[in-house]
Amino acid sequence: MKIYKCNKEHGKKIEKYQSRFATYIKMAQTNEAAIGYMYIDGEGTVGYHEAPIPQLFIVVEGEGWVTGENQKRIPIKRGEAALWEKGEWHTSGSETGMAAIVIQSEELNPETFMERKKHA
């Protein structure tokens, strides 16, 4: 067995898209998928940008908000996930801090395995 560090201090600050107080740690990369761990500190945001491929944002700690192209903030918390389709503009942030696993792949179909939450 091997143990790896994926705490914030081992990541890279996200500086694109006018992001603030956000850090990303790449965990795995294949030809088909990329997996990373994202920290968004309190008052932090990942700025408005286009998804290059489908992205699944799985909150594993804390709470915050996500938006789609309409930029309406939808609350999200631990145990919930947001899916952005390829080409969809979006952003995310938190007032108090949150951490998420981010999976990017052309082959994402979470509706096959996960129950969809209804939101306004």
Side-chain angles (χ1 to χ4, degrees):
M1 174 174 61
K2 297 176 184 175
I3 306 293
Y4 296 92
K5 296 180 180 181
C6 61
N7 49 355
K8 185 170 40 176
E9 294 74 29
H10 293 91
K12 291 178 68 176
K13 290 186 186 230
I14 302 171
E15 296 176 339
K16 288 182 173 181
Y17 324 115
Q18 299 178 332
S19 300
R20 28 183 308 225
F21 309 126
T23 306
Y24 183 79
I25 301 162
K26 186 179 282 192
M27 298 171 72
Q29 177 84 46
T30 69
N31 290 335
E32 291 81 29
I35 302 170
Y37 201 90
M38 183 177 292
Y39 290 93
I40 301 175
D41 293 335
E43 303 298 321
T45 59
V46 176
Y48 196 60
H49 66 284
E50 185 176 16
I53 61 176
Q55 297 177 338
L56 186 63
F57 183 88
I58 307 164
V59 179
V60 295
E61 183 180 328
E63 61 185 20
W65 50 266
V66 292
T67 75
E69 292 185 339
N70 65 5
Q71 296 191 43
K72 180 181 178 186
R73 289 184 179 188
I74 305 296
I76 194 166
K77 63 184 178 187
R78 182 173 51 107
E80 297 178 341
L83 174 69
W84 294 293
E85 298 292 348
K86 179 178 182 175
E88 186 174 1
W89 286 82
H90 65 282
T91 188
S92 54
S94 179
E95 302 302 318
T96 57
M98 79 176 153
I101 293 173
V102 180
I103 302 171
Q104 300 180 83
S105 173
E106 294 285 359
E107 302 298 320
L108 289 177
N109 296 303
E111 63 276 358
T112 304
F113 310 103
M114 301 166 71
E115 182 179 341
R116 189 168 175 184
K117 177 184 175 185
K118 296 188 178 17
H119 63 80

